[in-house]
């Protein structure tokens, strides 16, 4: 399947896989900070290495759960139809909702 996509689009396979990983990679992470006996989740920017490792783990985890073909999942992500992309949207939506606690980051 992936080979057919690459032949049809005439693209380098390495570029396709990099595009898929960077499309899934989150930009922010949630870190817990304790303030007066309460823990708050605060969004913080992620380094590129952590972002890429999260993206790869999400893709492989979904693939193992579904038991489907990895190349098929890569094609779905490349076309924008995968559930991994929904997971990234949920992740960043949660970070947006937690922005009200960002002031505790510097305490």
């Amino acid at each position: 399947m992936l080979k057919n996509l690459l032949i049809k689009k005439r693209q380098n396979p390495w570029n396709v896989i990099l595009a898929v990983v960077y499309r899934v990679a989150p930009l922010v992470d949630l870190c817990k900070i304790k303030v007066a006996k309460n823990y708050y989740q605060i969004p913080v920017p992620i380094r590129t290495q952590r972002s890429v490792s999260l993206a790869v783990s999400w893709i492989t985890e979904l693939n193992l759960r579904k038991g489907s073909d990895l190349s098929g999942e890569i094609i779905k992500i490349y076309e924008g139809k995968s559930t991994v992309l929904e997971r990234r949207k949920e992740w960043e939506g949660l970070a947006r909702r937690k922005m009200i606690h960002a002031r505790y980051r510097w305490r």
Side-chain angles (χ1 to χ4, degrees):
M1 286 176 84
L2 185 60
K3 188 175 182 181
N4 294 339
L5 174 75
L6 296 174
I7 291 170
K8 193 185 304 179
K9 301 277 185 180
R10 294 181 184 208
Q11 292 186 359
N12 186 359
W14 183 248
N15 292 340
V16 171
I17 291 173
L18 278 178
V20 164
V21 168
Y22 283 118
R23 181 177 283 187
V24 174
L27 300 175
V28 292
D29 196 4
L30 294 173
C31 121
K32 290 184 181 180
I33 292 185
K34 184 177 180 181
V35 177
K37 297 184 181 180
N38 293 325
Y39 284 97
Y40 295 103
Q41 288 184 327
I42 298 168
V44 292
I46 305 181
R47 292 185 178 180
T48 307
Q49 184 178 0
R50 169 91 172 126
S51 172
V52 169
S53 69
L54 271 176
V56 170
S57 68
W58 287 351
I59 292 169
T60 54
E61 179 185 316
L62 177 76
N63 189 37
L64 289 175
R65 238 187 309 138
K66 281 186 172 180
S68 63
D69 187 25
L70 183 61
S71 63
E73 192 63 36
I74 288 173
I75 290 172
K76 285 181 185 176
I77 294 170
Y78 190 73
E79 294 173 350
K81 300 176 183 175
S82 178
T83 57
V84 178
L85 296 172
E86 293 173 10
R87 184 172 183 175
R88 179 184 183 224
K89 284 182 186 177
E90 290 173 7
W91 184 273
E92 291 187 348
L94 181 62
R96 258 188 241 108
R97 288 191 297 274
K98 300 290 183 173
M99 279 297 288
I100 58 172
H101 302 302
R103 65 183 180 270
Y104 296 129
R105 182 176 175 196
W106 292 279
R107 285 191 173 203

